[in-house]
Amino acid sequence: MDLKTRLKSLLEEAEIYRSQGLFSDAKTKYEEAAKLIESHDQLKRNTNLLNAIAKKINLLENNSQNVETLPKSPEIPAKAQDLIKKLFSNGQKQDAGKAELEGAIALAKFGQFERALVEFNKLMQTDDSARFVCVKNILRCHVELSDIDEAIGAYRQWLRDEFLPPDQMEQIRQFLEKLLKTKKINQILPKAGGEPEVENEAAGGSEQEDVPKDKPEEFLDISTIVLEIDNDETQLPPVELDVSFQSGNIISLIIDKKNKDLINALKEGDQIDDIQFYSSIAIFMGSGIIQSKTQIESGPKRGDFSVDIRVIST
Amino acid sequence: MAVFNAKKREIECKIVFYGPGRSGKTTNLEYIFKSYKKQVSGEMVSINTEGDRTLFFDFLPMGLGKIKGCDVRVQLYTVPGQVKYSSTRKLVLRGVDGIVFVADSLKVRREKNMLSLKDLHKNLKEYGTSIFKVPLVIQYNKRDLPVPLMSIEQMELDLNRQLKVPSHPASAIKGDGVGITLKECLKLTLISLQKQLKWTQ
Ligand SMILES: Nc1nc2c(ncn2[C@@H]2O[C@H](COP(=O)(O)OP(=O)(O)OP(=O)(O)O)[C@@H](O)[C@H]2O)c(=O)[nH]1
Ligand SMILES: [Mg+2]
């Protein structure tokens, strides 16, 4: 292929990628074209062409930037929200109240927090059995919208009104404190039962523990864990174990066959508390349930054990 | 998860068009909407961003009429292909009965296809099912474009070596291969549902 034909075909290819919305592929082709021009004196003289290509590249960079910076879940028109509510709840299969609740949860999952708040507030008034779930979700929506004062204000109001039984209110308190920690806010909230209120602890700070969000979809990647067995039967010092694989909230560990005591102490179905989970952005404490324990039968790790743990609370 | 109403003899199932960003999922649905007027039973709804990229999903309801004495309704969805929308993609996939994987034939998109298939695999697994079990058809789209394309053999090797599911070349923008892909997927899905729900005459 002669030089001109090659250049022409590069430019055509780039243009097609651009029209397909494949901005970074288009950019790569334009850059190849520019390089080709610069490496040949006869073409190099054509500064117009080089300038035109530079402009194209610039535009493409802007386009990619625009696509990248679009918000992930902007509020969408009410009609589209209605559709989400309808499609993502099992309306036909169950009673209307439950479908309403599922619809509201779906809205929150799609990031439609303002609308979800309206729905949860409405539901909470009409359906007593939905109160607890509504309260949790209302708090989550406020926090997602960064309306921290609203969240705390709502919690205080429910507490005063004894909107939920004390044990549920206590769960809500813990839930909200965790939620606030995800936003790096260390707030101690008043408890049900009337302990004196402690005012606003210092907020922020990078040393604070971060807690993962309470959404299964967004489970943090865990790289290592530290666990300690300390029960009636067995006491073992803390060990650090690498996570070999993770799928959602289930992590897999490989334990060396030499670690007999540890292997024996980990029983399927058992719950282990106070596990330290290390991820690239946070360390947190939590509990896990031993999902399975199997001996590896072949390969370099033969004889070692593969243990799956389901992370249940963090 | 299909909804089966034994009394009314109605079944409603969900087909999801999956695949990397810009591979032509929405274009498939648009073509179906235009060309299968008789089966389309409502408006097509697209929730997209400014640049016409799917933000949440596209939705198109269809009615296939009576099959084995049962009224069959189908909901077609597309997922957003861009990597950053992974959590929405997973939400839309929930309860799926059959999948069309729209792969992009452009050479420059080779890796994106493979990553998207891997992402599908992972999401299905997290929903407790498997890419080897779910009714699945692969479409090699954009065969019409005059830029370097992968050969079908190459794409089969990349994407379908283990799965061994039906696959079709296509040009969704012209409509070539769209109908046959959909029909094949519907066929597999209905066979699988008949087995699961034991729905017969
Ligand atoms: N030439 C050609 N262009 C196509 C074909 N299919 C899709 N396109 C174009 O490719 C671009 C992307 O198509 P979409 O249907 O929006 O892709 P998508 O898979 O829905 O993309 P996301 O929503 O971002 O995941 C558009 O410019 C389409 O016109 C095809 O078969 N041939
Ligand atoms: Mg789309």
Side-chain angles (χ1 to χ4, degrees):
Chain A
M1 219 192 289
D2 71 43
L3 208 56
K4 268 205 175 138
T5 329
R6 229 172 98 205
L7 183 61
K8 190 163 163 261
S9 100
L10 272 176
L11 293 176
E12 279 169 2
E13 207 180 324
E15 196 46 33
I16 289 178
Y17 295 150
R18 193 200 53 75
S19 72
Q20 295 271 312
L22 301 169
F23 300 137
S24 83
D25 297 309
K27 188 178 153 217
T28 312
K29 285 296 152 191
Y30 276 123
E31 282 166 353
E32 270 177 45
K35 258 201 208 118
L36 188 70
I37 295 172
E38 275 162 355
S39 62
H40 290 86
D41 288 339
Q42 57 196 110
L43 292 174
K44 225 160 116 183
R45 271 174 251 129
N46 190 346
T47 46
N48 277 349
L49 189 55
L50 268 177
N51 283 341
I53 292 180
K55 252 188 213 150
K56 290 267 186 194
I57 292 180
N58 210 334
L59 271 176
L60 285 166
E61 277 169 353
N62 284 342
N63 284 342
S64 324
Q65 184 96 43
N66 287 344
V67 173
E68 284 313 310
T69 50
L70 283 173
K72 247 163 89 176
S73 24
E75 291 276 329
I76 54 172
K79 235 179 104 184
Q81 291 177 334
D82 290 342
L83 187 71
I84 288 181
K85 221 182 115 184
K86 193 177 118 210
L87 293 177
F88 291 85
S89 62
N90 288 320
Q92 304 102 313
K93 281 206 265 185
Q94 56 200 13
D95 62 287
K98 202 155 169 231
E100 281 292 310
L101 186 60
E102 277 190 9
I105 292 173
L107 284 168
K109 282 189 176 161
F110 278 101
Q112 307 302 299
F113 301 118
E114 304 272 7
R115 171 71 188 274
L117 275 173
V118 174
E119 302 280 330
F120 285 122
N121 276 307
K122 203 165 67 188
L123 264 167
M124 193 166 74
Q125 304 306 329
T126 53
D127 182 357
D128 281 355
S129 66
R131 275 188 183 186
F132 183 72
V133 179
C134 286
V135 160
K136 257 185 143 169
N137 278 289
I138 286 172
L139 292 173
R140 177 178 289 149
C141 288
H142 282 317
V143 172
E144 289 287 351
L145 289 165
S146 295
D147 288 336
I148 307 299
D149 292 344
E150 299 263 354
I152 296 174
Y155 172 78
R156 292 214 162 101
Q157 187 64 46
W158 291 321
L159 198 65
R160 271 196 298 274
D161 295 350
E162 297 181 353
F163 189 65
L164 289 168
D167 60 322
Q168 288 188 5
M169 213 58 220
E170 174 57 16
Q171 283 184 48
I172 296 293
R173 185 188 65 81
Q174 290 175 12
F175 173 77
L176 179 56
E177 281 187 2
K178 267 192 192 173
L179 209 55
L180 292 174
K181 273 192 190 164
T182 66
K183 299 276 168 189
K184 301 248 183 302
I185 297 167
N186 230 5
Q187 169 97 25
I188 300 193
L189 295 164
K191 289 186 184 184
E195 271 178 33
E197 210 171 293
V198 184
E199 263 311 315
N200 219 5
E201 293 281 288
S206 53
E207 292 146 9
Q208 267 150 23
E209 270 188 9
D210 204 347
V211 177
K213 286 186 187 170
D214 193 16
K215 286 185 198 160
E217 291 89 8
E218 287 175 12
F219 215 85
L220 280 179
D221 278 335
I222 298 165
S223 54
T224 11
I225 68 166
V226 172
L227 57 81
E228 191 174 354
I229 305 285
D230 186 8
N231 55 32
D232 295 344
E233 287 168 45
T234 332
Q235 287 88 36
L236 294 172
V239 280
E240 186 176 323
L241 298 163
D242 285 338
V243 173
S244 63
F245 183 73
Q246 176 175 4
S247 165
N249 63 344
I250 299 192
I251 52 175
S252 307
L253 315 162
I254 308 277
I255 303 178
D256 197 305
K257 49 185 170 291
K258 282 183 235 143
N259 255 329
K260 272 195 198 114
D261 290 344
L262 179 63
I263 292 166
N264 289 335
L266 297 174
K267 298 198 187 76
E268 279 182 20
D270 273 0
Q271 176 168 338
I272 304 177
D273 293 319
D274 296 326
I275 307 178
Q276 292 168 41
F277 297 96
Y278 290 78
S279 80
S280 55
I281 54 168
I283 308 169
F284 53 99
M285 300 288 288
S287 312
I289 289 182
I290 314 278
Q291 192 98 341
S292 69
K293 179 174 80 175
T294 40
Q295 193 162 21
I296 299 169
E297 291 184 357
S298 59
K301 304 235 181 250
R302 192 168 155 205
D304 292 349
F305 279 80
S306 162
V307 174
D308 284 0
I309 294 182
R310 185 155 54 88
V311 183
I312 47 169
S313 69
T314 52
Chain B
M1 128 221 15
V3 183
F4 180 47
N5 186 328
K7 227 193 201 154
K8 287 205 229 157
R9 300 207 66 74
E10 271 176 7
I11 188 156
E12 186 172 82
C13 59
K14 175 170 179 177
I15 306 279
V16 174
F17 284 66
Y18 211 92
R22 312 268 81 198
S23 69
K25 302 173 291 293
T26 299
T27 309
N28 262 274
L29 243 65
E30 281 167 348
Y31 183 81
I32 294 167
F33 179 61
K34 271 196 317 225
S35 314
Y36 293 89
K37 284 257 148 46
K38 239 178 85 189
Q39 283 84 11
V40 167
S41 60
E43 280 304 304
M44 170 164 168
V45 183
S46 294
I47 306 184
N48 13 346
T49 65
E50 273 165 51
D52 257 1
R53 283 160 159 81
T54 302
L55 172 66
F56 290 158
F57 55 81
D58 303 298
F59 170 74
L60 176 62
M62 294 181 89
L64 304 185
K66 284 230 186 305
I67 298 177
K68 296 210 171 182
C70 201
D71 202 21
V72 178
R73 278 181 285 150
V74 183
Q75 300 186 326
L76 303 184
Y77 287 84
T78 73
V79 298
Q82 288 184 76
V83 175
K84 67 171 179 172
Y85 295 132
S86 68
S87 62
T88 321
R89 197 158 44 243
K90 192 170 167 190
L91 272 178
V92 175
L93 191 64
R94 165 170 253 144
V96 68
D97 297 301
I99 297 170
V100 172
F101 184 86
V102 181
D104 196 322
S105 300
L106 304 189
K107 269 198 175 145
V108 290
R109 304 300 281 173
R110 181 174 176 207
E111 202 186 338
K112 296 281 189 283
N113 290 329
M114 298 198 264
L115 288 176
S116 174
L117 195 67
K118 218 171 125 192
D119 175 64
L120 173 63
H121 177 74
K122 173 174 147 272
N123 282 335
L124 288 170
K125 210 165 132 198
E126 284 172 21
Y127 280 137
T129 162
S130 149
I131 197 167
F132 293 100
K133 281 193 205 141
V134 73
L136 172 66
V137 176
I138 302 180
Q139 181 185 73
Y140 302 125
N141 190 29
K142 301 195 190 171
R143 299 310 298 181
D144 62 289
L145 275 176
V147 290
L149 301 181
M150 287 176 274
S151 69
I152 298 288
E153 295 74 38
Q154 174 72 61
M155 297 189 82
E156 282 280 295
L157 271 179
D158 280 354
L159 307 170
N160 203 12
R161 198 162 47 125
Q162 288 177 304
L163 294 171
K164 298 193 174 52
V165 298
S167 61
H168 298 282
S171 165
I173 205 134
K174 294 193 200 160
D176 299 343
V178 172
I180 186 165
T181 309
L182 176 65
K183 277 178 206 157
E184 184 109 43
C185 183
L186 285 171
K187 194 177 92 191
L188 293 183
T189 305
L190 292 173
I191 291 174
S192 145
L193 287 176
Q194 279 180 24
K195 272 194 210 140
Q196 278 175 56
L197 303 169
K198 310 216 171 2
W199 123 61
T200 40
Q201 276 292 12

